[in-house]
Amino acid sequence: MMGRAGRVPSLSDVPQLGVGATPDGYNRLVVASDAVLFNHAGAGHQVKINKSAAGDTASLLFQTGFGGRAELGTAGSDDFTFKVSADGSSWAEALRIEAATGRVTAPVSGWREMLTGPRTYYVDPLLGSDTRDGQTTGQGAFATLDRAVTEVAHVDGSGHPVTVQLADGVYDLGAVPVGIMAPLGGGGIEIIGNVTNPNAVTVTSSGAAMELVTGRLKLHGVRLETSGTKPTLRVLSGGVLEVDQVTFGTAGGHIDLVGGRLDGGGSYAIDGGAAYHLRLSQGAVLGGGVQALTLSNTPNFTTAFAICTMAGQADFSGHSFAGTATGRRFDVATQGVIQSGGIVLPGDTAGSVQSGGIYV
C-alpha cells in the first residue's frame, strides 16, 4: 500500500513478513528470491546473529530439500564450528575454533593439533559425553575410552606426554578392541585409572580389550578382563608397553606381544586365570627390569604362564613373584628364548622346551 505522495509507509514490529513466499510462526521472515542483497549505507555493513546465552545456537544452516547439509556458527557453546551432514541427521564436526584460546582443531580431517605442553583427556562413563572436548572433569569429560584414544591419535605431541584419566566405573569395550596409538611427534600416552584401588576402574571386553599399535603406553591403576578367548592387551610391533598397579582378571589371555615390547617397572597383580599370562612371538621382547607380581586366588594357566615362540624373547631378571598358580610354568619353541634369571616362574607343572626353543 502506498502512503501519501507515493511513499512506502514505515514498518515497525511487524509480526510476520514474506517476500515472494508465505511466512509462518517459526519462520516469521521468509524470502523467496534468486538473490538477496544487503548493501552498505556508508563505508561498511554488518549482518548480526545474536543468541541469548552461550549454550544456545547462532548459526547459518545450509540445506538441500530443507534437510541440513552444512552449518557454521556457535552451536551449544561460544566456540565457532563448521559441521557437515550427508542426511540431515548425522553430523560430523570438520573444524572448531575455541573462543577462549583461538586454538583450531579439525577432528575428522587428519589435520593434527601441535601441543605446546602436556595434555590430559578425562573419561567418565556416567557424567561424560563423547560430544565434549574431554579436557575437563565431570560433564566436560568423554564418555568412552575409545573416544579418548581416538583424540590422542589426532594430535602431534611435539614431545609432550598425553594422559587419559579414567574415572571410577566399568568400561565395556564390546567385541572390537580399542586401537591405541601414541601421539605423533613423541611424548607417549599414559592411561591412568585409580592407582590406589585398580579394581575400581574395570576395562572389560568380549574380544581383545586394548591393542597398542604404535608408540609407548604406560598403563596404571586399572583392572583388565575379557569374557572370550582374546587377550586383555595386545602389543604390535610398533608398541612399547609398561604396566604398573594393574590387576589382570579372568581372560582368554593377559598380555600378547606380537613383535612389541613389554618393559619392566613397578608392580601389578593377577587374580584370574587365562590360557597364558605372557605370550611373545615374532621377535617380541620382555625387557629385564624390576617388576613385582602378586598372584591371588591361585589362577590357572591352561597353556603356560609364559609362552615364547617365533623368536620371542623374555628376560625375567629382576622380576619377583608372590603367591601361587597352577599350570605349566613356560612353553618355549621355534627360536623363542626365556632367560629365567634364576627365578622359578608361577605354576605347579614344569615347563616345556620344544624344537628350537631355549630356556636358560
Side-chain angles (χ1 to χ4, degrees):
M1 180 181 295
M2 304 298 291
R4 292 181 179 180
R7 299 182 65 183
V8 177
S10 175
L11 299 177
S12 178
D13 198 21
V14 178
Q16 294 181 356
L17 180 62
V19 178
T22 302
D24 55 41
Y26 186 75
N27 299 292
R28 291 188 285 179
L29 171 63
V30 180
V31 178
S33 172
D34 291 333
V36 176
L37 172 64
F38 295 91
N39 196 24
H40 68 88
H45 186 87
Q46 286 184 325
V47 176
K48 300 177 181 179
I49 302 175
N50 185 54
K51 62 183 182 180
S52 176
D56 299 330
T57 295
S59 69
L60 295 176
L61 179 65
F62 300 85
Q63 298 178 316
T64 298
F66 297 104
R69 292 299 183 268
E71 183 177 17
L72 60 92
T74 58
S77 75
D78 282 337
D79 294 347
F80 193 82
T81 60
F82 292 75
K83 300 177 182 179
V84 292
S85 175
D87 56 12
S89 58
S90 298
W91 290 80
E93 182 180 301
L95 192 70
R96 174 178 292 267
I97 305 173
E98 291 184 357
T101 65
R103 185 177 73 104
V104 179
T105 57
V108 298
S109 70
W111 175 19
R112 298 177 185 269
E113 174 194 3
M114 183 172 290
L115 300 186
T116 58
R119 169 70 57 82
T120 298
Y121 292 109
Y122 298 91
V123 186
D124 190 322
L126 296 179
L127 300 177
S129 169
D130 283 351
T131 63
R132 305 301 184 188
D133 68 4
Q135 295 185 45
T136 56
T137 58
Q139 294 184 349
F142 293 132
T144 65
L145 176 60
D146 189 34
R147 177 68 179 85
V149 298
T150 298
E151 191 68 17
V152 172
H154 285 162
V155 302
D156 185 328
S158 302
H160 301 291
V162 179
T163 300
V164 175
Q165 179 68 61
L166 306 179
D168 288 359
V170 176
Y171 297 80
D172 189 347
L173 306 182
V176 180
V178 169
I180 300 173
M181 294 186 291
L184 185 72
I189 175 175
E190 186 170 8
I191 297 178
I192 303 177
N194 188 325
V195 295
T196 59
N197 180 18
N199 291 334
V201 180
T202 298
V203 179
T204 185
S205 172
S206 57
M210 288 188 281
E211 188 170 87
L212 178 58
V213 179
T214 183
R216 176 175 285 273
L217 168 65
K218 295 182 180 180
L219 190 61
H220 299 260
V222 299
R223 177 181 179 84
L224 302 172
E225 54 189 39
T226 60
S227 58
T229 60
K230 302 295 185 179
T232 59
L233 284 169
R234 175 171 285 132
V235 184
L236 303 184
S237 58
V240 179
L241 174 67
E242 180 181 330
V243 296
D244 185 25
Q245 302 300 321
V246 172
T247 300
F248 291 92
T250 302
H254 288 154
I255 304 175
D256 186 15
L257 292 98
V258 185
R261 180 181 178 92
L262 174 63
D263 281 346
S267 61
Y268 66 99
I270 300 174
D271 65 10
Y276 55 86
H277 175 59
L278 291 170
R279 182 170 66 183
L280 298 91
S281 64
Q282 299 183 32
V285 175
L286 167 65
V290 178
Q291 189 87 67
L293 173 58
T294 300
L295 301 96
S296 60
N297 300 329
T298 314
N300 179 54
F301 299 102
T302 56
T303 301
F305 175 82
I307 302 171
C308 281
T309 184
M310 298 176 63
Q313 303 176 49
D315 183 359
F316 287 99
S317 302
H319 287 60
S320 64
F321 302 97
T324 59
T326 58
R328 282 194 298 174
R329 294 186 172 91
F330 59 87
D331 184 10
V332 58
T334 56
Q335 285 70 55
V337 178
I338 291 181
Q339 171 66 48
S340 69
I343 297 172
V344 178
L345 301 182
D348 63 352
T349 304
S352 61
V353 177
Q354 301 182 53
S355 176
I358 300 174
Y359 178 85
V360 182

